[in-house]
Amino acid sequence: MAKDKVRVGVIGVGYVSQNNFMPVLPRMDDVEIVGIMANHLEKAQRAQRMCGAENAVATLEELVDLGLDGAFVLTPKACHSQQIEFLMKAGVDVYSEKPMATTLKDAARMVELSEKTGKKLMIGFNRRYAPVVQRAKEVYTNVLPDVIIGQKNRPATEYHATLENAVHIVDLMRFFGGEVRDVHAISKYTDPDYETFTTAMLHFENGAAGMLIADRSSGQWEETIEIHGGNHSVQIKMPDSVTIVDGEAMHTTEMTPMAMGWARSEDKLGFSYAIRHFVDCLKEGKTPMTNAQDAFKTHVLLDQILRSAGLPGME
């Protein structure tokens, strides 16, 4: 793309949009926010004032008519596949929050449509772009781990809790360990739509073993990853620290000193780096790391975990 600036639109003005995207996009000198879309125009107008967008609109048709290079789909997950389909068919590259669809059938259709139209579809697995995760990946790029333990804990359940929140940890386990051969999972619930916990043993194709723990009765929000192998150990405490041990020394990197102590959640959790990556891919014609084809594999793995645990899958 031979442009100094890329023209983007933002669809959705909820919590994720307001806290992780609208503060980031205006800081990018090579991005022009040409439109904000919400079903209720007054909400779009409030968001427009927040981020300095050029226009506020209430329909996808109006947004596309503004002339977009890329769009950010930040709406509730039930809307994703329909909005992604409309945008790609209109010739717009898309960044969508996870999941790309609520069913595997629709997710597969998104992959096929991206390939057919030639439009980029990047899925917002932002944890991969977090500084602590990128530092850990430096250790396990040329060395495969033997054991991966991932935890995603929160103090209260919600509708389809494992699907809603553990997907980030499942994606990180794939990011470090590769593809999974076998899944054995269990879950505790009275109502399978509101599970208390899910645990899963994963057997990776390269021989590594993984343990997923997704608990919804814990004392607080917690995301951790432990990785062992190649005479190294890495512990990630999202989003604040990563500790690397190599048998001779232990080194911990804290995120607090970032920006002289003013590190923002959108930076520490990887949102700003994911957005930067998407924009660079638009400008340089590259394929995003968390493209639809790769993200679909995370959707499939999560579906296997849910079904093995006796929970509703991505049907």
Side-chain angles (χ1 to χ4, degrees):
M1 180 182 297
K3 286 188 176 184
D4 293 330
K5 288 193 174 186
V6 295
R7 295 170 58 84
V8 303
V10 176
I11 303 157
V13 296
Y15 179 87
V16 169
S17 180
Q18 291 188 33
N19 285 274
N20 300 309
F21 289 81
M22 292 184 194
V24 174
L25 288 167
R27 298 199 296 261
M28 295 183 171
D29 294 336
D30 54 351
V31 170
E32 186 178 355
I33 311 172
V34 297
I36 297 282
M37 184 226 140
N39 290 333
H40 299 285
L41 183 59
E42 62 275 13
K43 292 183 178 180
Q45 291 169 334
R46 285 198 296 268
Q48 178 188 15
R49 293 190 290 270
M50 180 186 302
C51 67
E54 295 174 12
N55 301 277
V57 300
T59 68
L60 282 175
E61 290 83 357
E62 291 175 286
L63 188 66
V64 168
D65 284 345
L66 296 173
L68 304 179
D69 299 313
F72 293 87
V73 174
L74 312 176
T75 50
K77 59 182 178 291
C79 305
H80 290 177
S81 61
Q82 182 179 1
Q83 292 171 339
I84 291 169
E85 180 175 5
F86 182 92
L87 289 162
M88 288 197 295
K89 286 183 176 179
V92 179
D93 293 312
V94 179
Y95 177 117
S96 172
E97 264 300 295
K98 54 78 186 171
M100 70 177 98
T102 56
T103 69
L104 286 184
K105 180 180 179 180
D106 282 343
R109 189 163 53 85
M110 295 304 99
V111 175
E112 182 180 357
L113 187 60
S114 176
E115 295 171 346
K116 181 179 179 180
T117 62
K119 305 314 298 181
K120 295 174 179 49
L121 175 55
M122 175 173 165
I123 306 305
F125 286 122
N126 54 284
R127 302 308 197 267
R128 289 201 195 188
Y129 302 87
V132 291
V133 172
Q134 287 295 308
R135 180 68 185 91
K137 188 62 173 177
E138 293 173 9
V139 177
Y140 287 104
T141 295
N142 298 317
V143 177
L144 290 173
D146 290 317
V147 176
I148 306 171
I149 304 169
Q151 292 194 62
K152 176 62 183 276
N153 299 330
R154 293 184 71 170
T157 192
E158 62 184 313
Y159 183 71
H160 291 180
T162 307
L163 170 61
E164 185 65 29
N165 277 286
V167 63
H168 281 299
I169 297 300
V170 171
D171 185 67
L172 287 181
M173 294 179 80
R174 276 193 60 244
F175 186 49
F176 287 107
E179 304 313 325
V180 171
R181 179 185 302 161
D182 297 307
V183 173
H184 300 280
I186 61 173
S187 184
K188 177 184 177 182
Y189 55 83
T190 301
D191 181 344
D193 288 325
Y194 294 89
E195 63 268 32
T196 301
F197 70 75
T198 300
T199 64
M201 285 294 301
L202 309 180
H203 183 198
F204 291 87
E205 290 180 357
N206 60 33
M211 167 63 81
L212 169 69
I213 302 169
D215 180 55
R216 300 310 295 267
S217 61
S218 59
Q220 64 178 357
W221 180 96
E222 181 183 33
E223 289 186 6
T224 62
I225 296 277
E226 286 186 29
I227 313 165
H228 306 276
N231 299 118
H232 286 77
S233 292
V234 174
Q235 184 180 46
I236 302 169
K237 293 185 177 181
M238 288 292 299
D240 295 309
S241 70
V242 55
T243 299
I244 299 170
V245 184
D246 64 7
E248 296 181 357
M250 180 172 68
H251 180 73
T252 298
T253 301
E254 300 277 355
M255 293 299 105
T256 301
M258 286 177 62
M260 296 188 178
W262 290 90
R264 296 169 289 236
S265 64
E266 62 264 30
D267 297 328
K268 294 193 292 182
L269 282 166
F271 286 100
S272 60
Y273 301 101
I275 296 167
R276 177 73 264 168
H277 179 66
F278 179 64
V279 171
D280 288 344
C281 287
L282 293 186
K283 295 177 70 175
E284 300 168 14
K286 296 181 178 179
T287 300
M289 173 171 63
T290 49
N291 59 77
Q293 291 84 349
D294 182 81
F296 181 72
K297 297 176 183 178
T298 293
H299 290 58
V300 170
L301 176 56
L302 183 58
D303 178 73
Q304 291 173 333
I305 291 169
L306 294 171
R307 291 177 182 279
S308 178
L311 296 171
M314 296 184 66
E315 299 174 342

